[in-house]
Amino acid sequence: MISYLLSFLRRKYSGRSVDDFVRDMPRHWLVWEPGHWRPSRQVGHTMLALPSVRDDRGGEALAMALTPPRAGHAHLVLGRDEGSDLVVEDATVSRVHLLLTPTAQGRWAVRDGGSSNGTWVGDRKLEGSDSVELASDVSLRTGSVLLTFYDADGLFQRFWMVDPQ
């Protein structure tokens, strides 16, 4: 997993264009919204910014890059288990909480992975094998963890919606 604090990306791309960002980071992203979290123990995968920039929600947001699934896998797994592709260490997140699948159109779809505390896309709870194609700036809730899905352009726009304190 490759992840960056939003404050790091904001500082790195300050004064640059959205085209620069999209060229450098042409991915879709899940942003783990501010709250009580810590980076995965997978050393070297999170770019930290010092000094830290806080946003109006009281903490840092972590942007996790969505990369194609590993060979032989149809989807990325987001869960609490260290073997997950996207590790979210929170007690309300199941070991395998949600599954992200790339679509033929270059987008991403999500479905619940059999979690204990459920998955919501916007205000819709995913039931059973429901799968929803994600649009940029849509919120997901896994247990009590709030995530937001972005395309590269949407994430760049997000940088300028967050004012440092």
Side-chain angles (χ1 to χ4, degrees), residues 111-115 125-131:
R111 69 182 167 92
D112 189 83
S115 68
K125 184 176 183 183
L126 297 181
E127 302 288 347
S129 62
D130 286 351
S131 180

Side-chain angles (χ1 to χ4, degrees), residues 9 31 37 45 47-48 63 71 78 86 88 94 115-116 150 156:
L9 291 173
V31 173
W37 60 262
H45 292 283
M47 297 300 299
L48 300 176
L78 182 140
L86 302 165
V88 175
S94 295
S115 68
S116 299
Y150 290 103
F156 183 85

Side-chain angles (χ1 to χ4, degrees), residues 1 32 40 42 64 79-82 84-89:
M1 170 179 68
W32 187 349
S40 167
Q42 297 173 359
M64 300 179 285
R80 186 176 79 233
D81 187 72
E82 282 294 324
S84 297
D85 300 297
L86 302 165
V87 179
V88 175
E89 293 182 12

Side-chain angles (χ1 to χ4, degrees), residues 40-103:
S40 167
R41 289 183 281 247
Q42 297 173 359
V43 179
H45 292 283
T46 300
M47 297 300 299
L48 300 176
L50 298 173
S52 173
V53 174
R54 303 285 179 190
D55 74 14
D56 61 352
R57 288 169 279 205
E60 284 274 12
L62 182 69
M64 300 179 285
L66 298 182
T67 58
R70 295 172 285 174
H73 293 86
H75 49 259
L76 297 177
V77 173
L78 182 140
R80 186 176 79 233
D81 187 72
E82 282 294 324
S84 297
D85 300 297
L86 302 165
V87 179
V88 175
E89 293 182 12
D90 182 278
T92 64
V93 174
S94 295
R95 292 183 194 284
V96 174
H97 201 105
L98 62 86
L99 307 173
L100 293 150
T101 307
T103 69

